[in-house]
Amino acid sequence: WLFAGMLASSMVALSFASMGAIVVVRNTAPLVSMAIEGTVTKEKIELDRWTVLSLLAVVVGVLLYVSQDIAFSNVGMGCMLVNMLLAVFERLLQRKMIAVNPIDVSKT
């Protein structure tokens, strides 16, 4: 249901925002993913100052783009944020099922 929600929210977001805005806002997903992964999975995430500086540069770039976007709407931003959260949770679930606690699907 995460994948279906991600597809549906991206289609709704495209009705209220430009494709460029969606791509730019989704660039903040690594920051959201690190925050969620650090709190939910309790794994230690190693960060150095260059990683933090690059993520902050991405956030500043996204804020600049969104502040100058002609077709900005709160509904579009909400749909983009829901889409990003669903995508992050889906990727974390995939990672858990593949790498952390692998699921054995073999018939033997």
Side-chain angles (χ1 to χ4, degrees):
W1 62 271
L2 286 172
F3 185 72
M6 189 174 65
L7 288 178
S9 63
S10 66
M11 285 188 270
V12 173
L14 278 171
S15 308
F16 295 99
S18 66
M19 185 64 177
I22 293 172
V23 170
V24 169
V25 170
R26 282 287 298 267
N27 284 332
T28 61
L31 189 63
V32 174
S33 179
M34 282 186 349
I36 292 172
E37 191 171 6
T39 53
V40 172
T41 64
K42 305 290 190 247
E43 291 183 33
K44 186 176 190 298
I45 300 172
E46 294 189 27
L47 294 174
D48 61 357
R49 65 182 163 136
W50 298 111
T51 304
V52 173
L53 286 173
S54 65
L55 289 172
L56 288 176
V58 168
V59 169
V60 168
V62 168
L63 291 175
L64 284 172
Y65 183 90
V66 169
S67 70
Q68 300 299 316
D69 191 12
I70 296 170
F72 179 79
S73 82
N74 290 327
V75 175
M77 180 58 78
C79 290
M80 288 185 277
L81 292 175
V82 166
N83 177 266
M84 181 177 55
L85 286 173
L86 288 171
V88 165
F89 279 115
E90 184 205 14
R91 298 310 185 276
L92 289 175
L93 183 63
Q94 286 177 1
R95 181 177 178 275
K96 179 183 175 197
M97 290 191 299
I98 293 171
V100 178
N101 295 328
I103 296 174
D104 186 18
V105 291
S106 64
K107 293 185 179 189
T108 58

